Structure formats: structure tokens, C-alpha cells
């Protein structure tokens, strides 16, 4: 038996390898509507590696990357997990509408907006875009990147929402418990900056 998590981000041969060892049951977990495999070369794309095994099995007849022939009907119908508990409804509205035909139900806890943050639509839109205004300080090391201006902006906002004020002088007012804050970056160098 084989279970492959996030298999839609894996190129098809990577998923086939564990299945080739006498697999009698398989469970493929992922979301073929959002994150495809990362394929860098055009040759690999032309060879069909932009498509995961999950996406190939769930193919609904729409055009595949590179116009590859896949047939017109799905081999299996994926089970849609149609309830999300992580995002404010203003954040989940976009993926629900654009990837799932509006089928995703919101069950996230209702939390008030963090005071003092310039939320759009009087706090009804919980997406904040911060223009750091500069590419200065951007540098790479190996395959990772860092940007000093972005790090400074993230630290200023973090201090503010944790109650230390944007200047770092401290206000004594806690806007958000520290255990409710996560700063996420895909770059190791950005994390270490």
C-alpha cells in the first residue's frame, strides 16, 4: 500500500517509482487545480513532466500542458475536501471561485481584524499588500534569496502586531498573541537574514 502526500507537486515518474514495487492500493493526496510539479527545462515540459500522476488520472478532458493527448474522461474522480478552516472568507473567496467553482465552504473561526493594520474595506478584506518600494538589498546565495528591505518591512509589521509598535519602542499593548503569528518564506536566506 502506498500513500503519496502532495503528489500533484511531484513529476509523474517520482510517483510511479513507489507504485512499481508491488503496490495493491494507492492513495494520492494533492490538489491538481493549484500547484503543479516544478519543471524547469523546456525539454522536460515537452516530454509531459508538467503533469502529475494525480492530474493525469483526474483529467477531465480540458487541455493538458503542452497539448499532450490524455483522453477525454477521468480515470478516477478526486474527492474534494470542500470545507476550509484556515483562512478568513475574504482570502478563501479567490481560490474557491477560480479553482473550485465556488464549492468551498468556510468554517474558519471568526476573528476580528488586528487593530491598527490598514486592512482594505474596513477590515472586511484580510489581505495586506506591502510595497517595500525597493529592490535594494536583494541578493542570492546558491539557490536561495534574501531582500533586506522585505525583511525590515516584515520585522516592522511583526513588532507592530505583537504590540511593540512600528518603531520598536514598545507600547505595552498586545494586538496579537505571539502563538497566533507565523512568518513564512520559501527562501532559507530570507529566514536567516
Amino acid at each position: 500500500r502506498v500513500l503519496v502526500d502532495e503528489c500533484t507537486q511531484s513529476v509523474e515518474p517520482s510517483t510511479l517509482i513507489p507504485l512499481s514495487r508491488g503496490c495493491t492500493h494507492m492513495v494520492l493526496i494533492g490538489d491538481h487545480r493549484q500547484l503543479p510539479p516544478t519543471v524547469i527545462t523546456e525539454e522536460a515540459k515537452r516530454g509531459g513532466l508538467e503533469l502529475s500522476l494525480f492530474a493525469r488520472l483526474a483529467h477531465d478532458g480540458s487541455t493538458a500542458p503542452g497539448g499532450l493527448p490524455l483522453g477525454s474522461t477521468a480515470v478516477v474522480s478526486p474527492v474534494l475536501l470542500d470545507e476550509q478552516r484556515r483562512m478568513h472568507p475574504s482570502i478563501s473567496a479567490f481560490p474557491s471561485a477560480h479553482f473550485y467553482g465556488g464549492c468551498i465552504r468556510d468554517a474558519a473561526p471568526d476573528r476580528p481584524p488586528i487593530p491598527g493594520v490598514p486592512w482594505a474595506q474596513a477590515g472586511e478584506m484580510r489581505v495586506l499588500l506591502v510595497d517595500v518600494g525597493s529592490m535594494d538589498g536583494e541578493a542570492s546565495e546558491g539557490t536561495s534569496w534574501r531582500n533586506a528591505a522585505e525583511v525590515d518591512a516584515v520585522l516592522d509589521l511583526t513588532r507592530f502586531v505583537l504590540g511593540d509598535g512600528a518603531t520598536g519602542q514598545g507600547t505595552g499593548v498586545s494586538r496579537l498573541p505571539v502563538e497566533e503569528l507565523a512568518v513564512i518564506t520559501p527562501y532559507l536566506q530570507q529566514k536567516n537574514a
Side-chain angles (χ1 to χ4, degrees), residues 21-167:
R21 308 293 293 175
C23 176
T24 58
H25 297 82
M26 72 174 177
V27 177
L28 303 179
I29 300 173
D31 187 345
H32 65 298
R33 292 185 176 109
Q34 291 191 43
L35 295 173
T38 300
V39 179
I40 297 170
T41 69
E42 288 302 316
E43 182 180 9
K45 290 176 184 178
R46 283 190 302 274
L49 291 180
E50 283 185 294
L51 198 65
S52 67
L53 178 61
F54 186 112
R56 184 177 303 276
L57 294 174
H59 179 65
D60 61 4
S62 57
T63 305
L68 296 171
L70 295 175
S72 60
T73 58
V75 174
V76 293
S77 295
V79 174
L80 175 65
L81 303 179
D82 60 359
E83 183 176 276
Q84 74 83 21
R85 298 172 176 265
R86 297 179 179 177
M87 298 175 264
H88 186 271
S90 66
I91 300 170
S92 68
F94 176 83
S96 177
H98 292 279
F99 297 115
Y100 308 105
C103 292
I104 304 300
R105 294 187 322 269
D106 290 303
D110 188 29
R111 294 182 179 150
I114 301 167
V117 174
W119 300 111
Q121 301 174 10
E124 292 303 312
M125 174 56 70
R126 304 289 175 83
V127 176
L128 178 66
L129 303 177
V130 179
D131 182 359
V132 297
S134 173
M135 296 287 285
D136 294 340
E138 186 171 272
S140 68
E141 186 175 316
T143 59
S144 189
W145 289 86
R146 69 179 173 280
N147 181 305
E150 289 176 2
V151 170
D152 290 343
V154 168
L155 290 174
D156 285 347
L157 184 58
T158 299
R159 288 183 193 109
F160 181 79
V161 300
L162 291 178
D164 292 339
T167 63

Side-chain angles (χ1 to χ4, degrees), residues 158-182:
T158 299
R159 288 183 193 109
F160 181 79
V161 300
L162 291 178
D164 292 339
T167 63
Q169 296 175 356
T171 63
V173 177
S174 176
R175 292 176 177 83
L176 184 72
V178 69
E179 61 272 6
E180 290 189 22
L181 177 69

